[in-house]
Amino acid sequence: MKQFYELMEEARDIIVDKMLAPGYELTDTYKAVMYAFIHAALHVRSGVESWLVRPLREKIPPLLRGVVERELSTRLQPLIRYIDEVLSSDKPVLSGGEADVKHVIEAVRKSLGKVDYVLVYDCMSAIEQLVISAYLKANGVKTLFLSELLVNPVGLTRFITGQFQGITLRGVARYIASQLEAQSYNKNSFIDMRVHEKGSSGVEEFVESIAIENIASDILNIARRGRALILSDHGYDIIASIEEGYLYVIHGFRYNVPSKHIPLLLLSRISLFMVTHGEA
């Protein structure tokens, strides 16, 4: 079975070749990748009707929809199963495991060494990281996903900050920067704010609210100046409301049984490490 980072990079290359190279706007590409993740999840899961994703599908140019339905969705299905496998693991998470921030950062330090910049994005999911990685590659910047993963079992910032003594997420960013000898660090909460403001209105409203071009351009400018590590404390979840008939976005989704809310993607529970290596 391929590793998570290998699956991400394969999907990234499809996005570069089939979506960005033909000249589609990054905003349309972002919508298409969001649709691809949901389309893939609908094939992996059961009990959710495919018509729930139609409002998002209709916002995507027809040729991009074709790329999603013919190719990208299929490539993302193993990735979704991989996430399910990681989250279903019964191994300890806080004793030197994938939910132990200091342990994971030490593993990152050993595999990566020093970086120039550490960028922590509150609530950035694998979807945004995949799109941004494709954007960077399309603009001549080499990016890699590390084999290390950070598991956040509850999908909340406090699970990460709670592993430190009285610091905020910015303080965690400072800690990571110090471990990797970075000259600068930053913490950005834009996506988290949009999840809280727009997520309950539906996935199509949420995706319209994300200024993905601004985020990607900011990262590109930093990546051109040095080696940057991009990560998140958690992502977000995409949930199907069966009773209300729509898909919405939240983080830290909690199961209630029986429930009329079915999780399609629990991306708030897993975070990736993406590193830039300068212009190719």
Side-chain angles (χ1 to χ4, degrees):
M1 182 178 181
K2 291 184 178 179
Q3 295 297 305
F4 194 83
Y5 71 92
E6 294 175 305
L7 297 170
M8 287 287 287
E9 289 173 359
E10 285 182 356
R12 186 264 316 280
D13 292 343
I14 293 173
I15 295 166
V16 173
D17 295 340
K18 303 292 180 68
M19 295 184 176
L20 294 177
Y24 286 100
E25 297 291 335
L26 190 63
T27 51
D28 286 331
T29 297
Y30 177 44
K31 294 172 191 173
V33 175
M34 178 72 76
Y35 172 51
F37 268 84
I38 296 172
H39 190 273
L42 287 168
H43 282 78
V44 172
R45 312 274 182 248
S46 60
V48 179
E49 297 292 337
S50 61
W51 61 265
L52 291 174
V53 77
R54 284 178 192 164
L56 175 61
R57 185 181 187 274
E58 290 170 358
K59 292 178 177 289
I60 301 166
L63 290 179
L64 286 184
R65 291 202 303 260
V67 173
V68 168
E69 294 164 1
R70 289 193 307 270
E71 188 169 3
L72 186 56
S73 171
T74 301
R75 292 296 183 95
L76 291 177
Q77 289 173 35
L79 190 149
I80 292 170
R81 292 189 181 97
Y82 192 106
I83 293 174
D84 290 346
E85 183 177 331
V86 169
L87 297 182
S88 66
S89 172
D90 58 359
K91 63 184 177 182
V93 295
L94 271 177
S95 56
E98 292 170 320
D100 182 336
V101 177
K102 292 181 180 179
H103 172 80
V104 173
I105 295 303
E106 176 60 17
V108 169
R109 187 190 66 78
K110 288 180 178 178
S111 67
L112 190 59
K114 300 178 183 179
V115 299
D116 299 302
Y117 305 98
V118 170
L119 307 176
V120 177
Y121 285 84
D122 190 351
C123 209
M124 178 180 279
S125 80
I127 297 172
E128 287 77 27
Q129 283 196 319
L130 187 58
V131 171
I132 290 167
S133 175
Y135 175 83
L136 295 176
K137 184 174 182 179
N139 282 276
V141 172
K142 183 180 179 181
T143 66
L144 294 173
F145 289 98
L146 303 186
S147 58
E148 291 78 13
L149 298 173
L150 179 61
V151 174
N152 185 328
V154 295
L156 299 171
T157 299
R158 66 171 177 262
F159 180 83
I160 303 300
T161 56
Q163 297 181 44
F164 298 82
Q165 187 65 37
I167 67 172
T168 63
L169 187 57
R170 183 174 295 278
V172 176
R174 184 188 306 115
Y175 167 80
I176 296 171
S178 70
Q179 295 302 299
L180 301 179
E181 301 181 49
Q183 61 182 271
S184 180
Y185 66 90
N186 190 40
K187 171 254 183 180
N188 186 300
S189 297
F190 174 78
I191 296 175
D192 184 65
M193 291 170 59
R194 288 295 180 266
V195 168
H196 290 285
E197 293 170 358
K198 297 291 186 180
S200 61
S201 298
V203 66
E204 61 279 358
E205 295 295 326
F206 168 74
V207 76
E208 291 277 12
S209 76
I210 298 296
I212 194 68
E213 289 187 350
N214 293 345
I215 299 171
S217 295
D218 288 346
I219 293 175
L220 176 63
N221 290 335
I222 291 171
R224 283 175 168 164
R225 299 200 300 268
R227 200 178 191 199
L229 178 70
I230 299 98
L231 68 144
S232 178
D233 56 337
H234 59 78
Y236 51 77
D237 307 318
I238 298 177
I239 311 299
S241 174
I242 304 304
E243 189 172 65
E244 298 180 56
Y246 82 125
L247 303 176
Y248 66 93
V249 180
I250 193 173
H251 70 82
F253 174 78
R254 290 183 291 180
Y255 289 93
N256 292 307
V257 181
S259 176
K260 295 180 180 178
H261 299 264
I262 300 176
L264 274 181
L265 291 164
L266 290 176
L267 301 180
S268 73
R269 288 160 167 75
I270 194 164
S271 298
L272 316 178
F273 295 91
M274 183 173 76
V275 62
T276 70
H277 288 276
E279 296 190 76

XYZ file of all heavy atoms in Angstrom, residues 119-152:
262
model
N 5.067 27.960 8.846
C 3.761 28.576 8.619
C 2.675 27.632 9.132
O 2.499 26.533 8.598
C 3.548 28.846 7.126
C 4.650 29.650 6.416
C 4.349 29.750 4.930
C 4.817 31.021 7.033
N 1.988 28.054 10.177
C 0.919 27.241 10.770
C -0.426 27.860 10.408
O -0.686 29.025 10.726
C 1.068 27.157 12.302
C -0.101 26.364 12.898
C 2.394 26.508 12.671
N -1.264 27.086 9.738
C -2.586 27.551 9.319
C -3.653 26.814 10.120
O -3.836 25.605 9.961
C -2.791 27.308 7.823
C -2.029 28.284 6.959
C -0.692 28.062 6.652
C -2.638 29.441 6.493
C 0.019 28.964 5.879
C -1.934 30.354 5.717
C -0.618 30.106 5.420
O 0.084 31.016 4.668
N -4.319 27.543 10.985
C -5.389 26.976 11.799
C -6.505 26.470 10.890
O -7.076 27.237 10.107
C -5.915 28.053 12.756
C -6.860 27.519 13.813
O -7.250 26.348 13.721
O -7.208 28.287 14.733
N -6.795 25.168 10.957
C -7.932 24.560 10.253
C -7.690 24.321 8.759
O -8.626 24.017 8.033
C -9.197 25.402 10.456
S -10.735 24.463 10.393
N -6.458 24.426 8.292
C -6.172 24.080 6.896
C -6.228 22.566 6.737
O -5.566 21.830 7.471
C -4.809 24.606 6.457
C -4.439 24.224 5.025
S -2.815 24.851 4.502
C -3.252 26.557 4.074
N -7.007 22.097 5.784
C -7.154 20.661 5.583
C -6.232 20.159 4.478
O -5.548 20.933 3.799
C -8.605 20.324 5.225
O -8.852 20.596 3.859
N -6.250 18.851 4.283
C -5.492 18.239 3.194
C -5.934 18.788 1.837
O -5.150 18.801 0.885
C -5.655 16.725 3.235
N -7.174 19.243 1.740
C -7.679 19.781 0.467
C -6.919 21.041 0.088
O -6.414 21.171 -1.038
C -9.193 20.052 0.564
C -9.946 18.736 0.802
C -9.706 20.756 -0.705
C -11.422 18.909 1.095
N -6.819 21.998 1.013
C -6.087 23.238 0.725
C -4.602 22.960 0.502
O -3.990 23.542 -0.397
C -6.256 24.248 1.866
C -7.626 24.897 1.939
C -8.678 23.996 2.527
O -8.319 23.093 3.341
O -9.868 24.159 2.184
N -4.029 22.065 1.294
C -2.614 21.768 1.115
C -2.348 21.157 -0.256
O -1.338 21.467 -0.900
C -2.109 20.844 2.221
C -1.882 21.565 3.545
C -1.028 20.755 4.495
O -1.191 19.543 4.598
N -0.128 21.419 5.190
N -3.238 20.308 -0.713
C -3.081 19.689 -2.029
C -3.162 20.745 -3.132
O -2.329 20.760 -4.055
C -4.156 18.623 -2.228
C -4.062 17.758 -3.483
C -2.735 17.032 -3.547
C -5.213 16.754 -3.503
N -4.134 21.635 -3.040
C -4.291 22.690 -4.049
C -3.091 23.628 -4.043
O -2.562 23.999 -5.103
C -5.599 23.472 -3.808
C -5.679 24.696 -4.709
C -6.808 22.578 -4.035
N -2.631 24.009 -2.857
C -1.503 24.933 -2.757
C -0.216 24.280 -3.246
O 0.603 24.916 -3.928
C -1.372 25.454 -1.315
C -2.546 26.386 -1.009
C -0.040 26.187 -1.105
C -2.714 26.719 0.454
N -0.035 23.005 -2.934
C 1.132 22.288 -3.441
C 1.149 22.276 -4.973
O 2.196 22.478 -5.601
C 1.133 20.852 -2.906
O 2.186 20.098 -3.473
N -0.019 22.057 -5.571
C -0.115 22.082 -7.038
C 0.193 23.473 -7.583
O 0.901 23.619 -8.587
C -1.513 21.632 -7.465
N -0.329 24.495 -6.923
C -0.081 25.878 -7.350
C 1.408 26.203 -7.287
O 1.957 26.811 -8.211
C -0.874 26.820 -6.447
C -0.624 28.293 -6.693
C -1.289 28.970 -7.713
C 0.264 29.002 -5.890
C -1.063 30.322 -7.925
C 0.484 30.349 -6.097
C -0.170 31.001 -7.114
O 0.053 32.346 -7.323
N 2.073 25.795 -6.210
C 3.505 26.049 -6.084
C 4.286 25.338 -7.183
O 5.186 25.919 -7.802
C 3.999 25.605 -4.710
C 3.448 26.361 -3.500
C 3.966 25.746 -2.207
C 3.806 27.838 -3.559
N 3.952 24.082 -7.422
C 4.656 23.339 -8.472
C 4.428 23.968 -9.843
O 5.361 24.081 -10.642
C 4.205 21.879 -8.485
C 4.975 21.038 -9.507
C 4.636 19.564 -9.415
C 5.464 18.772 -10.428
N 5.177 17.319 -10.366
N 3.202 24.402 -10.100
C 2.896 25.043 -11.380
C 3.656 26.359 -11.549
O 3.861 26.815 -12.675
C 1.392 25.289 -11.502
N 4.067 26.953 -10.424
C 4.828 28.203 -10.462
C 6.323 27.992 -10.202
O 7.034 28.930 -9.836
C 4.254 29.191 -9.443
C 2.988 29.859 -9.938
O 3.023 30.854 -10.659
N 1.846 29.292 -9.570
N 6.777 26.770 -10.399
C 8.204 26.500 -10.375
C 8.826 26.254 -9.025
O 10.055 26.273 -8.897
N 8.014 26.022 -7.978
C 8.545 25.760 -6.644
C 8.312 24.292 -6.297
O 7.183 23.804 -6.332
C 7.886 26.662 -5.582
C 8.313 26.243 -4.173
C 8.253 28.116 -5.823
N 9.374 23.603 -5.956
C 9.284 22.195 -5.597
C 8.701 22.041 -4.198
O 9.125 22.714 -3.262
C 10.678 21.564 -5.648
C 10.698 20.074 -5.352
C 12.114 19.531 -5.415
C 12.142 18.043 -5.087
N 13.528 17.507 -5.118
N 7.726 21.178 -4.056
C 7.137 20.896 -2.747
C 7.053 19.395 -2.531
O 6.845 18.628 -3.476
C 5.717 21.499 -2.600
O 4.833 20.837 -3.511
C 5.721 22.985 -2.879
N 7.209 19.002 -1.275
C 7.091 17.597 -0.908
C 6.214 17.473 0.333
O 6.234 18.346 1.203
C 8.469 16.999 -0.606
C 9.459 16.890 -1.757
C 10.814 16.429 -1.219
C 8.962 15.941 -2.837
N 5.454 16.387 0.412
C 4.737 16.041 1.626
C 5.604 15.061 2.411
O 6.142 14.106 1.845
C 3.381 15.417 1.306
C 2.390 16.393 0.769
C 2.169 16.500 -0.599
C 1.680 17.225 1.620
C 1.257 17.417 -1.103
C 0.759 18.140 1.130
C 0.555 18.242 -0.237
N 5.752 15.300 3.697
C 6.561 14.421 4.531
C 5.776 13.161 4.896
O 4.547 13.135 4.856
C 6.989 15.150 5.801
C 7.772 16.462 5.617
C 8.251 16.978 6.968
C 8.947 16.282 4.667
N 6.506 12.124 5.271
C 5.859 10.876 5.670
C 5.215 11.001 7.056
O 4.304 10.243 7.390
C 6.871 9.725 5.671
O 7.948 10.003 6.551
N 5.684 11.974 7.861
C 5.120 12.171 9.194
C 3.714 12.773 9.111
O 3.446 13.641 8.276
C 6.008 13.091 10.041
C 7.346 12.495 10.436
C 8.374 12.515 9.335
O 8.165 13.215 8.317
O 9.402 11.825 9.478
N 2.842 12.317 9.995
C 1.489 12.846 10.125
C 1.256 13.268 11.566
O 1.830 12.694 12.488
C 0.445 11.794 9.749
C 0.453 11.255 8.318
C -0.538 10.102 8.200
C 0.122 12.348 7.320
N 0.404 14.271 11.753
C -0.004 14.682 13.089
C -1.481 14.351 13.254
O -2.320 14.859 12.502
C 0.226 16.181 13.295
C -0.189 16.757 14.655
C 0.605 16.104 15.787
C 0.003 18.273 14.674
N -1.801 13.485 14.209
C -3.183 13.077 14.444
C -3.766 13.918 15.574
O -3.157 14.066 16.636
C -3.263 11.578 14.795
C -4.690 11.186 15.186
C -2.793 10.735 13.616
N -4.930 14.485 15.325
C -5.662 15.270 16.328
C -7.002 14.565 16.540
O -7.956 14.805 15.797
C -5.865 16.700 15.817
C -6.496 17.626 16.836
O -7.298 17.199 17.650
N -6.152 18.900 16.776
